[in-house]
Amino acid sequence: LAGEVRSCFAMTEPAVASSDATNIESRIHAHPQGGYVLEGRKWWTSGACDPRCKVAIFMGKTDPSAPAHRQQSMILVPMDTPGVTVVRPVTVFGYDDAPHGHAEVHFEGVRVPAEAVLLGEGRGFEIAQGRLGPGRLHHCMRAVGMAERAMEMTRERMATRKAFGSVLAGHGALLQQLAEMRIQVEGARLAVLNAAHQLDLHGNKVARPAIAIAKVVAPRAAQAVLDAAIQVHGGGGVSGDYVLAAFFAGARVLRLADGPDEVHLRDIGRMEMKGKARL
């Protein structure tokens, strides 16, 4: 709570399509003398570059012969354990998001004690699904926040910037664009609020359709609103002088983080076929 220590989550791997967590290839081997040995190459390990990051949550397979969703386990790994190497920050459209960062991390012959396993062997997929619902909503909230900031900047720009004999707000086409932006922000906000309400009332499982819908709607809306805001800001919008370009990069990556749009749309469609997707 003091903010002195942070953790990172090491799941995604460059060698496999990690949106399907059953593809994870990193291994957690039992050591003959007790404990485990970790082997794997991870990337998009958000937070690993932060000097306050002291522990990683590593996801790997303990039993590849088990049923597909019981093969994976999660285990706590101190970042200063021999064999843990933060290789580099992975950039997002050129942004390194320092100091937080999204790192490539190698785990080579990493020894950890048996008690470091979370909940027990074979429960990694279960843990991942449990944290993804609230985690996805956090992303959605930030997306709405970025879109709202873009709205504020666009209003100020339109009220003060002059072109063709009038401030930008005097041009009907831009006012119409501003209205469209507000409609998208409010739609996304309400979807996120509903998902959070369903999560509070009924838990992750029942709220799953609402969370999936919000996870698709919010980043899409933020990306569209930020694109329009960039257009109003002209060349400045794509520069580092304004925050819009960085926000746009962040909104775009949210359509991949914690599950790409296509996975959520598939799940929404399946739930709709069962009559369970309606909010």
Side-chain angles (χ1 to χ4, degrees):
L1 290 176
E4 298 172 357
V5 174
R6 294 180 65 100
S7 64
C8 61
F9 183 49
M11 185 189 86
T12 304
E13 299 178 2
V16 297
S18 302
S19 56
D20 178 357
T22 63
N23 283 336
I24 297 302
E25 293 182 342
S26 293
R27 291 298 307 275
I28 302 173
H29 301 280
H31 193 276
Q33 297 177 1
Y36 296 93
V37 179
L38 279 52
E39 299 284 349
R41 179 185 172 206
K42 303 289 188 176
W43 72 341
W44 297 110
T45 304
S46 296
C49 297
D50 194 314
R52 296 169 296 172
C53 184
K54 303 301 182 184
V55 63
I57 303 170
F58 178 91
M59 185 170 181
K61 289 186 176 180
T62 42
D63 184 3
S65 64
H69 297 98
R70 295 285 296 177
Q71 297 178 8
Q72 307 83 9
S73 299
M74 287 192 189
I75 194 164
L76 295 176
V77 188
M79 292 297 287
D80 59 358
T81 306
V84 178
T85 305
V86 178
V87 177
R88 62 184 175 115
V90 182
T91 59
V92 179
F93 290 111
Y95 294 97
D96 62 10
D97 291 341
H100 184 68
H102 314 281
E104 178 179 345
V105 186
H106 293 181
F107 297 81
E108 300 170 298
V110 179
R111 289 282 306 273
V112 290
E115 58 267 25
V117 172
L118 298 176
L119 292 185
E121 290 189 14
R123 300 187 68 179
F125 195 88
E126 173 190 345
I127 297 170
Q129 291 304 306
R131 69 159 289 276
L132 281 175
R136 285 165 178 154
L137 272 186
H138 276 259
H139 285 318
C140 293
M141 294 171 191
R142 285 190 286 271
V144 172
M146 288 190 292
E148 192 61 63
R149 174 79 181 279
M151 292 295 299
E152 294 174 1
M153 294 175 66
T154 302
R155 289 197 305 271
E156 181 180 356
R157 183 82 167 187
M158 289 178 60
T160 58
R161 199 77 164 187
K162 291 184 178 180
F164 303 104
S166 169
V167 293
L168 297 183
H171 297 286
L174 288 177
L175 284 175
Q176 181 176 338
Q177 179 63 63
L178 188 66
E180 295 284 359
M181 293 163 68
R182 173 51 65 193
I183 290 168
Q184 288 177 305
V185 172
E186 293 309 312
R189 190 196 316 278
L190 290 172
V192 175
L193 282 170
N194 177 68
H197 185 57
Q198 295 298 323
L199 187 61
D200 283 343
L201 285 181
H202 306 297
N204 194 37
K205 186 174 182 179
V206 174
R208 185 180 171 190
I211 294 171
I213 290 171
K215 180 58 172 62
V216 173
V217 168
R220 280 185 178 180
Q223 187 180 348
V225 168
L226 286 160
D227 183 70
I230 288 170
Q231 196 72 12
V232 171
H233 283 75
V238 295
S239 75
D241 291 2
Y242 295 86
V243 74
L244 294 172
F247 277 2
F248 185 87
R252 183 60 186 86
V253 81
L254 288 184
R255 295 181 57 200
L256 295 168
D258 278 0
D261 285 2
E262 290 78 8
V263 170
H264 298 301
L265 290 168
R266 180 201 62 184
D267 289 347
I268 294 165
R270 287 176 174 175
M271 289 182 282
E272 180 62 29
M273 289 302 297
K274 299 176 181 177
K276 296 182 179 180
R278 185 174 177 178
L279 300 179

Short mmCIF file of all heavy atoms in Angstrom, two decimals, residues 85-150:
data_model
loop_
_atom_site.label_atom_id
_atom_site.label_comp_id
_atom_site.label_asym_id
_atom_site.label_seq_id
_atom_site.Cartn_x
_atom_site.Cartn_y
_atom_site.Cartn_z
N THR A 85 16.21 -12.68 -15.92
CA THR A 85 16.86 -11.60 -16.66
C THR A 85 15.83 -10.73 -17.35
O THR A 85 15.06 -11.22 -18.19
CB THR A 85 17.83 -12.16 -17.72
OG1 THR A 85 18.76 -13.04 -17.11
CG2 THR A 85 18.57 -11.02 -18.42
N VAL A 86 15.78 -9.46 -16.99
CA VAL A 86 14.96 -8.49 -17.72
C VAL A 86 15.77 -8.06 -18.94
O VAL A 86 16.75 -7.33 -18.81
CB VAL A 86 14.58 -7.29 -16.85
CG1 VAL A 86 13.76 -6.28 -17.65
CG2 VAL A 86 13.80 -7.74 -15.61
N VAL A 87 15.36 -8.53 -20.12
CA VAL A 87 16.16 -8.36 -21.33
C VAL A 87 16.02 -6.95 -21.90
O VAL A 87 17.01 -6.30 -22.23
CB VAL A 87 15.76 -9.40 -22.39
CG1 VAL A 87 16.54 -9.19 -23.68
CG2 VAL A 87 15.99 -10.80 -21.84
N ARG A 88 14.77 -6.45 -21.98
CA ARG A 88 14.55 -5.15 -22.64
C ARG A 88 13.12 -4.72 -22.40
O ARG A 88 12.24 -5.54 -22.16
CB ARG A 88 14.77 -5.25 -24.15
CG ARG A 88 13.78 -6.22 -24.82
CD ARG A 88 14.04 -6.41 -26.29
NE ARG A 88 13.15 -7.43 -26.84
CZ ARG A 88 12.21 -7.20 -27.76
NH1 ARG A 88 12.05 -5.98 -28.25
NH2 ARG A 88 11.45 -8.18 -28.21
N PRO A 89 12.87 -3.41 -22.50
CA PRO A 89 11.48 -2.95 -22.56
C PRO A 89 10.95 -3.11 -23.98
O PRO A 89 11.64 -2.74 -24.93
CB PRO A 89 11.58 -1.48 -22.15
CG PRO A 89 12.95 -1.07 -22.56
CD PRO A 89 13.82 -2.30 -22.44
N VAL A 90 9.76 -3.67 -24.11
CA VAL A 90 9.12 -3.79 -25.43
C VAL A 90 8.32 -2.51 -25.66
O VAL A 90 7.52 -2.10 -24.81
CB VAL A 90 8.19 -5.01 -25.48
CG1 VAL A 90 7.58 -5.16 -26.87
CG2 VAL A 90 8.96 -6.27 -25.11
N THR A 91 8.55 -1.85 -26.79
CA THR A 91 7.90 -0.57 -27.04
C THR A 91 6.51 -0.74 -27.64
O THR A 91 6.22 -1.74 -28.31
CB THR A 91 8.73 0.30 -27.97
OG1 THR A 91 8.94 -0.40 -29.21
CG2 THR A 91 10.09 0.63 -27.35
N VAL A 92 5.65 0.24 -27.39
CA VAL A 92 4.29 0.30 -27.95
C VAL A 92 4.24 1.49 -28.90
O VAL A 92 4.23 2.63 -28.46
CB VAL A 92 3.23 0.46 -26.84
CG1 VAL A 92 1.83 0.53 -27.44
CG2 VAL A 92 3.32 -0.67 -25.83
N PHE A 93 4.26 1.23 -30.21
CA PHE A 93 4.34 2.31 -31.19
C PHE A 93 5.48 3.25 -30.86
O PHE A 93 5.37 4.47 -31.01
CB PHE A 93 3.02 3.08 -31.27
CG PHE A 93 1.88 2.31 -31.90
CD1 PHE A 93 0.81 1.90 -31.13
CD2 PHE A 93 1.89 2.00 -33.25
CE1 PHE A 93 -0.23 1.19 -31.70
CE2 PHE A 93 0.86 1.29 -33.83
CZ PHE A 93 -0.22 0.88 -33.05
N GLY A 94 6.59 2.71 -30.39
CA GLY A 94 7.76 3.51 -30.07
C GLY A 94 7.82 4.01 -28.64
O GLY A 94 8.87 4.49 -28.20
N TYR A 95 6.73 3.93 -27.89
CA TYR A 95 6.72 4.37 -26.49
C TYR A 95 7.19 3.23 -25.58
O TYR A 95 6.73 2.10 -25.72
CB TYR A 95 5.31 4.80 -26.07
CG TYR A 95 4.80 6.02 -26.80
CD1 TYR A 95 3.97 5.90 -27.92
CD2 TYR A 95 5.14 7.31 -26.36
CE1 TYR A 95 3.50 7.02 -28.59
CE2 TYR A 95 4.66 8.44 -27.03
CZ TYR A 95 3.85 8.29 -28.14
OH TYR A 95 3.39 9.39 -28.80
N ASP A 96 8.07 3.57 -24.64
CA ASP A 96 8.56 2.52 -23.74
C ASP A 96 7.83 2.51 -22.40
O ASP A 96 8.07 1.65 -21.56
CB ASP A 96 10.07 2.64 -23.50
CG ASP A 96 10.47 3.96 -22.85
OD1 ASP A 96 9.59 4.72 -22.39
OD2 ASP A 96 11.69 4.23 -22.79
N ASP A 97 6.92 3.46 -22.21
CA ASP A 97 6.10 3.52 -20.98
C ASP A 97 6.94 3.46 -19.71
O ASP A 97 6.55 2.83 -18.72
CB ASP A 97 5.05 2.41 -20.97
CG ASP A 97 3.95 2.63 -22.01
OD1 ASP A 97 3.80 3.77 -22.48
OD2 ASP A 97 3.25 1.67 -22.35
N ALA A 98 8.10 4.11 -19.76
CA ALA A 98 8.97 4.16 -18.57
C ALA A 98 8.29 4.94 -17.45
O ALA A 98 7.53 5.88 -17.71
CB ALA A 98 10.30 4.81 -18.94
N PRO A 99 8.54 4.61 -16.18
CA PRO A 99 9.43 3.52 -15.75
C PRO A 99 8.74 2.16 -15.65
O PRO A 99 9.39 1.16 -15.38
CB PRO A 99 9.85 3.99 -14.35
CG PRO A 99 8.62 4.69 -13.83
CD PRO A 99 8.02 5.38 -15.03
N HIS A 100 7.42 2.15 -15.87
CA HIS A 100 6.64 0.92 -15.71
C HIS A 100 7.10 -0.14 -16.71
O HIS A 100 7.63 -1.18 -16.34
CB HIS A 100 5.16 1.26 -15.90
CG HIS A 100 4.23 0.13 -15.67
ND1 HIS A 100 4.03 -0.43 -14.43
CD2 HIS A 100 3.41 -0.55 -16.52
CE1 HIS A 100 3.14 -1.40 -14.52
NE2 HIS A 100 2.75 -1.50 -15.78
N GLY A 101 6.94 0.15 -17.98
CA GLY A 101 7.47 -0.69 -19.04
C GLY A 101 6.77 -2.02 -19.23
O GLY A 101 5.99 -2.48 -18.39
N HIS A 102 7.02 -2.61 -20.39
CA HIS A 102 6.49 -3.93 -20.74
C HIS A 102 7.69 -4.75 -21.21
O HIS A 102 8.17 -4.58 -22.34
CB HIS A 102 5.44 -3.82 -21.85
CG HIS A 102 4.44 -2.73 -21.61
ND1 HIS A 102 3.39 -2.86 -20.74
CD2 HIS A 102 4.36 -1.48 -22.11
CE1 HIS A 102 2.68 -1.74 -20.73
NE2 HIS A 102 3.25 -0.89 -21.55
N ALA A 103 8.19 -5.61 -20.35
CA ALA A 103 9.51 -6.19 -20.57
C ALA A 103 9.47 -7.56 -21.23
O ALA A 103 8.50 -8.32 -21.09
CB ALA A 103 10.26 -6.29 -19.25
N GLU A 104 10.56 -7.86 -21.92
CA GLU A 104 10.88 -9.25 -22.24
C GLU A 104 11.73 -9.77 -21.08
O GLU A 104 12.72 -9.14 -20.69
CB GLU A 104 11.67 -9.35 -23.55
CG GLU A 104 12.07 -10.77 -23.89
CD GLU A 104 12.83 -10.89 -25.21
OE1 GLU A 104 12.82 -9.94 -26.00
OE2 GLU A 104 13.45 -11.96 -25.43
N VAL A 105 11.31 -10.89 -20.53
CA VAL A 105 11.99 -11.45 -19.36
C VAL A 105 12.29 -12.92 -19.62
O VAL A 105 11.41 -13.68 -20.05
CB VAL A 105 11.13 -11.32 -18.08
CG1 VAL A 105 11.93 -11.78 -16.86
CG2 VAL A 105 10.66 -9.88 -17.88
N HIS A 106 13.53 -13.31 -19.37
CA HIS A 106 13.92 -14.71 -19.51
C HIS A 106 14.07 -15.36 -18.14
O HIS A 106 14.62 -14.76 -17.20
CB HIS A 106 15.24 -14.82 -20.27
CG HIS A 106 15.15 -14.38 -21.70
ND1 HIS A 106 16.22 -14.42 -22.58
CD2 HIS A 106 14.11 -13.91 -22.42
CE1 HIS A 106 15.84 -13.97 -23.77
NE2 HIS A 106 14.56 -13.65 -23.69
N PHE A 107 13.57 -16.58 -18.03
CA PHE A 107 13.69 -17.38 -16.82
C PHE A 107 14.48 -18.64 -17.19
O PHE A 107 13.98 -19.50 -17.93
CB PHE A 107 12.31 -17.75 -16.27
CG PHE A 107 11.48 -16.57 -15.86
CD1 PHE A 107 10.78 -15.82 -16.80
CD2 PHE A 107 11.41 -16.19 -14.52
CE1 PHE A 107 10.01 -14.73 -16.42
CE2 PHE A 107 10.63 -15.10 -14.14
CZ PHE A 107 9.94 -14.37 -15.09
N GLU A 108 15.69 -18.73 -16.70
CA GLU A 108 16.58 -19.82 -17.09
C GLU A 108 17.14 -20.53 -15.85
O GLU A 108 17.96 -19.98 -15.13
CB GLU A 108 17.73 -19.28 -17.95
CG GLU A 108 17.24 -18.60 -19.23
CD GLU A 108 18.35 -17.86 -19.95
OE1 GLU A 108 18.90 -16.92 -19.37
OE2 GLU A 108 18.65 -18.22 -21.11
N GLY A 109 16.62 -21.73 -15.59
CA GLY A 109 17.08 -22.49 -14.44
C GLY A 109 16.78 -21.81 -13.12
O GLY A 109 17.57 -21.90 -12.17
N VAL A 110 15.65 -21.17 -13.02
CA VAL A 110 15.29 -20.39 -11.83
C VAL A 110 14.74 -21.33 -10.74
O VAL A 110 13.73 -21.99 -10.96
CB VAL A 110 14.26 -19.30 -12.18
CG1 VAL A 110 13.87 -18.51 -10.93
CG2 VAL A 110 14.81 -18.37 -13.25
N ARG A 111 15.38 -21.37 -9.57
CA ARG A 111 14.94 -22.21 -8.47
C ARG A 111 14.03 -21.42 -7.53
O ARG A 111 14.38 -20.32 -7.11
CB ARG A 111 16.15 -22.72 -7.68
CG ARG A 111 17.01 -23.76 -8.38
CD ARG A 111 16.38 -25.16 -8.34
NE ARG A 111 16.05 -25.59 -6.99
CZ ARG A 111 16.91 -26.20 -6.17
NH1 ARG A 111 18.15 -26.42 -6.55
NH2 ARG A 111 16.50 -26.60 -4.97
N VAL A 112 12.90 -21.99 -7.20
CA VAL A 112 11.99 -21.37 -6.22
C VAL A 112 11.47 -22.47 -5.29
O VAL A 112 11.38 -23.64 -5.68
CB VAL A 112 10.80 -20.65 -6.91
CG1 VAL A 112 11.26 -19.41 -7.64
CG2 VAL A 112 10.07 -21.59 -7.84
N PRO A 113 11.11 -22.12 -4.06
CA PRO A 113 10.63 -23.13 -3.11
C PRO A 113 9.21 -23.60 -3.45
O PRO A 113 8.46 -22.91 -4.14
CB PRO A 113 10.65 -22.39 -1.77
CG PRO A 113 10.53 -20.95 -2.13
CD PRO A 113 11.24 -20.79 -3.44
N ALA A 114 8.84 -24.75 -2.96
CA ALA A 114 7.53 -25.35 -3.25
C ALA A 114 6.39 -24.47 -2.77
O ALA A 114 5.33 -24.41 -3.40
CB ALA A 114 7.44 -26.74 -2.62
N GLU A 115 6.61 -23.76 -1.65
CA GLU A 115 5.52 -22.95 -1.10
C GLU A 115 5.23 -21.70 -1.93
O GLU A 115 4.27 -20.97 -1.64
CB GLU A 115 5.84 -22.54 0.34
CG GLU A 115 7.13 -21.78 0.52
CD GLU A 115 8.30 -22.69 0.86
OE1 GLU A 115 8.25 -23.89 0.50
OE2 GLU A 115 9.26 -22.19 1.49
N ALA A 116 6.02 -21.46 -2.98
CA ALA A 116 5.79 -20.29 -3.84
C ALA A 116 4.64 -20.50 -4.82
O ALA A 116 4.17 -19.55 -5.45
CB ALA A 116 7.06 -19.94 -4.61
N VAL A 117 4.17 -21.75 -4.98
CA VAL A 117 3.05 -22.02 -5.89
C VAL A 117 1.76 -21.41 -5.34
O VAL A 117 1.45 -21.55 -4.15
CB VAL A 117 2.87 -23.54 -6.10
CG1 VAL A 117 1.60 -23.83 -6.90
CG2 VAL A 117 4.06 -24.11 -6.83
N LEU A 118 1.01 -20.76 -6.21
CA LEU A 118 -0.24 -20.12 -5.80
C LEU A 118 -1.40 -21.11 -5.89
O LEU A 118 -1.65 -21.68 -6.96
CB LEU A 118 -0.52 -18.90 -6.68
CG LEU A 118 0.52 -17.78 -6.61
CD1 LEU A 118 0.17 -16.67 -7.59
CD2 LEU A 118 0.62 -17.23 -5.20
N LEU A 119 -2.07 -21.35 -4.80
CA LEU A 119 -3.25 -22.21 -4.68
C LEU A 119 -2.97 -23.70 -4.90
O LEU A 119 -3.76 -24.54 -4.51
CB LEU A 119 -4.37 -21.78 -5.63
CG LEU A 119 -5.04 -20.44 -5.34
CD1 LEU A 119 -6.22 -20.22 -6.30
CD2 LEU A 119 -5.55 -20.36 -3.89
N GLY A 120 -1.86 -24.04 -5.53
CA GLY A 120 -1.55 -25.44 -5.81
C GLY A 120 -1.33 -25.67 -7.29
O GLY A 120 -1.70 -24.86 -8.15
N GLU A 121 -0.70 -26.80 -7.61
CA GLU A 121 -0.41 -27.13 -9.01
C GLU A 121 -1.71 -27.28 -9.81
O GLU A 121 -2.71 -27.78 -9.30
CB GLU A 121 0.40 -28.42 -9.09
CG GLU A 121 1.83 -28.28 -8.60
CD GLU A 121 2.66 -29.53 -8.90
OE1 GLU A 121 2.21 -30.36 -9.71
OE2 GLU A 121 3.75 -29.66 -8.32
N GLY A 122 -1.65 -26.86 -11.06
CA GLY A 122 -2.76 -27.04 -11.98
C GLY A 122 -3.87 -26.01 -11.87
O GLY A 122 -4.89 -26.13 -12.55
N ARG A 123 -3.68 -24.96 -11.07
CA ARG A 123 -4.75 -23.99 -10.87
C ARG A 123 -4.43 -22.62 -11.51
O ARG A 123 -5.10 -21.64 -11.24
CB ARG A 123 -5.05 -23.83 -9.38
CG ARG A 123 -5.49 -25.15 -8.75
CD ARG A 123 -5.94 -25.00 -7.32
NE ARG A 123 -7.17 -24.24 -7.22
CZ ARG A 123 -7.79 -23.98 -6.06
NH1 ARG A 123 -7.25 -24.42 -4.92
NH2 ARG A 123 -8.90 -23.29 -6.03
N GLY A 124 -3.40 -22.61 -12.36
CA GLY A 124 -3.00 -21.35 -13.00
C GLY A 124 -4.07 -20.76 -13.89
O GLY A 124 -4.32 -19.54 -13.88
N PHE A 125 -4.72 -21.60 -14.69
CA PHE A 125 -5.76 -21.10 -15.59
C PHE A 125 -6.92 -20.54 -14.78
O PHE A 125 -7.49 -19.50 -15.12
CB PHE A 125 -6.23 -22.23 -16.52
CG PHE A 125 -7.03 -21.75 -17.70
CD1 PHE A 125 -6.40 -21.39 -18.87
CD2 PHE A 125 -8.41 -21.65 -17.63
CE1 PHE A 125 -7.13 -20.94 -19.97
CE2 PHE A 125 -9.15 -21.21 -18.71
CZ PHE A 125 -8.51 -20.86 -19.89
N GLU A 126 -7.26 -21.23 -13.71
CA GLU A 126 -8.34 -20.78 -12.83
C GLU A 126 -8.03 -19.40 -12.25
O GLU A 126 -8.90 -18.51 -12.21
CB GLU A 126 -8.51 -21.80 -11.71
CG GLU A 126 -9.48 -21.40 -10.61
CD GLU A 126 -9.41 -22.35 -9.42
OE1 GLU A 126 -8.85 -23.45 -9.55
OE2 GLU A 126 -9.94 -21.97 -8.36
N ILE A 127 -6.78 -19.22 -11.79
CA ILE A 127 -6.38 -17.93 -11.23
C ILE A 127 -6.44 -16.84 -12.29
O ILE A 127 -6.93 -15.73 -12.05
CB ILE A 127 -4.96 -18.02 -10.65
CG1 ILE A 127 -4.92 -19.01 -9.49
CG2 ILE A 127 -4.47 -16.64 -10.19
CD1 ILE A 127 -3.51 -19.34 -9.02
N ALA A 128 -5.94 -17.17 -13.50
CA ALA A 128 -5.94 -16.18 -14.58
C ALA A 128 -7.35 -15.72 -14.90
O ALA A 128 -7.60 -14.51 -15.06
CB ALA A 128 -5.28 -16.78 -15.82
N GLN A 129 -8.28 -16.64 -14.99
CA GLN A 129 -9.66 -16.27 -15.30
C GLN A 129 -10.27 -15.43 -14.19
O GLN A 129 -11.05 -14.51 -14.45
CB GLN A 129 -10.49 -17.53 -15.55
CG GLN A 129 -10.13 -18.27 -16.82
CD GLN A 129 -10.21 -17.39 -18.05
OE1 GLN A 129 -11.23 -16.78 -18.33
NE2 GLN A 129 -9.13 -17.32 -18.80
N GLY A 130 -9.89 -15.72 -12.95
CA GLY A 130 -10.44 -14.97 -11.83
C GLY A 130 -9.99 -13.52 -11.80
O GLY A 130 -10.76 -12.63 -11.43
N ARG A 131 -8.73 -13.26 -12.20
CA ARG A 131 -8.21 -11.89 -12.15
C ARG A 131 -8.54 -11.11 -13.42
O ARG A 131 -8.52 -9.87 -13.39
CB ARG A 131 -6.69 -11.89 -11.94
CG ARG A 131 -5.88 -12.40 -13.12
CD ARG A 131 -4.43 -11.94 -13.09
NE ARG A 131 -4.30 -10.53 -13.39
CZ ARG A 131 -4.26 -10.03 -14.62
NH1 ARG A 131 -4.37 -10.82 -15.68
NH2 ARG A 131 -4.10 -8.73 -14.81
N LEU A 132 -8.84 -11.80 -14.51
CA LEU A 132 -9.00 -11.09 -15.78
C LEU A 132 -10.25 -10.23 -15.82
O LEU A 132 -10.25 -9.17 -16.44
CB LEU A 132 -9.01 -12.09 -16.95
CG LEU A 132 -7.63 -12.58 -17.37
CD1 LEU A 132 -7.76 -13.66 -18.44
CD2 LEU A 132 -6.75 -11.45 -17.87
N GLY A 133 -11.32 -10.65 -15.15
CA GLY A 133 -12.55 -9.85 -15.18
C GLY A 133 -12.34 -8.46 -14.61
O GLY A 133 -12.49 -7.45 -15.30
N PRO A 134 -11.95 -8.37 -13.32
CA PRO A 134 -11.66 -7.05 -12.75
C PRO A 134 -10.53 -6.32 -13.47
O PRO A 134 -10.58 -5.10 -13.64
CB PRO A 134 -11.27 -7.38 -11.30
CG PRO A 134 -11.92 -8.71 -11.03
CD PRO A 134 -11.88 -9.44 -12.32
N GLY A 135 -9.51 -7.06 -13.91
CA GLY A 135 -8.40 -6.43 -14.63
C GLY A 135 -8.85 -5.79 -15.93
O GLY A 135 -8.42 -4.68 -16.27
N ARG A 136 -9.72 -6.47 -16.65
CA ARG A 136 -10.24 -5.91 -17.90
C ARG A 136 -11.04 -4.63 -17.64
O ARG A 136 -10.97 -3.68 -18.42
CB ARG A 136 -11.11 -6.95 -18.60
CG ARG A 136 -10.31 -8.05 -19.26
CD ARG A 136 -11.15 -9.25 -19.65
NE ARG A 136 -10.34 -10.27 -20.31
CZ ARG A 136 -10.63 -11.55 -20.33
NH1 ARG A 136 -11.70 -12.00 -19.69
NH2 ARG A 136 -9.84 -12.42 -20.95
N LEU A 137 -11.79 -4.63 -16.55
CA LEU A 137 -12.56 -3.42 -16.23
C LEU A 137 -11.65 -2.25 -15.89
O LEU A 137 -11.96 -1.11 -16.22
CB LEU A 137 -13.51 -3.70 -15.07
CG LEU A 137 -14.89 -4.24 -15.45
CD1 LEU A 137 -15.78 -4.32 -14.22
CD2 LEU A 137 -15.55 -3.37 -16.51
N HIS A 138 -10.53 -2.51 -15.24
CA HIS A 138 -9.57 -1.44 -14.97
C HIS A 138 -9.09 -0.84 -16.29
O HIS A 138 -8.97 0.39 -16.42
CB HIS A 138 -8.39 -1.98 -14.16
CG HIS A 138 -8.63 -2.03 -12.69
ND1 HIS A 138 -8.15 -1.09 -11.81
CD2 HIS A 138 -9.36 -2.89 -11.93
CE1 HIS A 138 -8.53 -1.37 -10.58
NE2 HIS A 138 -9.26 -2.47 -10.63
N HIS A 139 -8.77 -1.68 -17.25
CA HIS A 139 -8.38 -1.18 -18.57
C HIS A 139 -9.48 -0.31 -19.17
O HIS A 139 -9.23 0.75 -19.75
CB HIS A 139 -8.09 -2.34 -19.51
CG HIS A 139 -6.78 -3.03 -19.26
ND1 HIS A 139 -5.62 -2.35 -18.97
CD2 HIS A 139 -6.44 -4.35 -19.29
CE1 HIS A 139 -4.62 -3.20 -18.81
NE2 HIS A 139 -5.09 -4.42 -19.00
N CYS A 140 -10.72 -0.78 -19.06
CA CYS A 140 -11.85 -0.04 -19.64
C CYS A 140 -12.01 1.32 -18.98
O CYS A 140 -12.30 2.32 -19.65
CB CYS A 140 -13.14 -0.85 -19.49
SG CYS A 140 -13.17 -2.37 -20.46
N MET A 141 -11.86 1.36 -17.67
CA MET A 141 -11.96 2.64 -16.96
C MET A 141 -10.90 3.62 -17.44
O MET A 141 -11.19 4.81 -17.65
CB MET A 141 -11.83 2.41 -15.45
CG MET A 141 -12.96 1.62 -14.83
SD MET A 141 -12.57 1.18 -13.11
CE MET A 141 -13.90 0.02 -12.77
N ARG A 142 -9.69 3.13 -17.61
CA ARG A 142 -8.62 4.00 -18.10
C ARG A 142 -8.90 4.47 -19.52
O ARG A 142 -8.60 5.61 -19.89
CB ARG A 142 -7.27 3.27 -18.02
CG ARG A 142 -6.73 3.18 -16.60
CD ARG A 142 -5.30 2.68 -16.59
NE ARG A 142 -5.25 1.24 -16.87
CZ ARG A 142 -5.32 0.30 -15.93
NH1 ARG A 142 -5.48 0.64 -14.68
NH2 ARG A 142 -5.24 -0.98 -16.25
N ALA A 143 -9.49 3.59 -20.32
CA ALA A 143 -9.84 3.98 -21.70
C ALA A 143 -10.85 5.11 -21.70
O ALA A 143 -10.73 6.09 -22.46
CB ALA A 143 -10.38 2.77 -22.46
N VAL A 144 -11.86 5.00 -20.85
CA VAL A 144 -12.86 6.08 -20.75
C VAL A 144 -12.20 7.35 -20.26
O VAL A 144 -12.51 8.46 -20.74
CB VAL A 144 -14.02 5.65 -19.82
CG1 VAL A 144 -14.96 6.83 -19.55
CG2 VAL A 144 -14.80 4.50 -20.44
N GLY A 145 -11.29 7.23 -19.30
CA GLY A 145 -10.58 8.41 -18.80
C GLY A 145 -9.76 9.09 -19.88
O GLY A 145 -9.74 10.33 -19.97
N MET A 146 -9.07 8.31 -20.71
CA MET A 146 -8.29 8.89 -21.81
C MET A 146 -9.21 9.61 -22.79
O MET A 146 -8.89 10.70 -23.28
CB MET A 146 -7.49 7.80 -22.52
CG MET A 146 -6.33 7.26 -21.72
SD MET A 146 -5.23 6.19 -22.68
CE MET A 146 -6.28 4.76 -22.98
N ALA A 147 -10.35 8.99 -23.08
CA ALA A 147 -11.30 9.60 -24.02
C ALA A 147 -11.84 10.91 -23.44
O ALA A 147 -12.00 11.91 -24.17
CB ALA A 147 -12.43 8.63 -24.32
N GLU A 148 -12.13 10.94 -22.16
CA GLU A 148 -12.65 12.16 -21.53
C GLU A 148 -11.61 13.27 -21.55
O GLU A 148 -11.93 14.44 -21.79
CB GLU A 148 -13.10 11.86 -20.10
CG GLU A 148 -13.92 12.97 -19.46
CD GLU A 148 -15.21 13.25 -20.21
OE1 GLU A 148 -16.07 12.35 -20.28
OE2 GLU A 148 -15.35 14.38 -20.74
N ARG A 149 -10.37 12.92 -21.30
CA ARG A 149 -9.28 13.92 -21.39
C ARG A 149 -9.19 14.47 -22.82
O ARG A 149 -9.02 15.68 -23.02
CB ARG A 149 -7.96 13.27 -20.98
CG ARG A 149 -6.74 14.16 -21.15
CD ARG A 149 -6.59 15.17 -20.05
NE ARG A 149 -5.41 16.00 -20.27
CZ ARG A 149 -4.15 15.65 -19.96
NH1 ARG A 149 -3.93 14.48 -19.40
NH2 ARG A 149 -3.15 16.47 -20.18
N ALA A 150 -9.33 13.61 -23.79
CA ALA A 150 -9.31 14.06 -25.19
C ALA A 150 -10.46 15.00 -25.49
O ALA A 150 -10.31 15.96 -26.25
CB ALA A 150 -9.35 12.85 -26.13
#
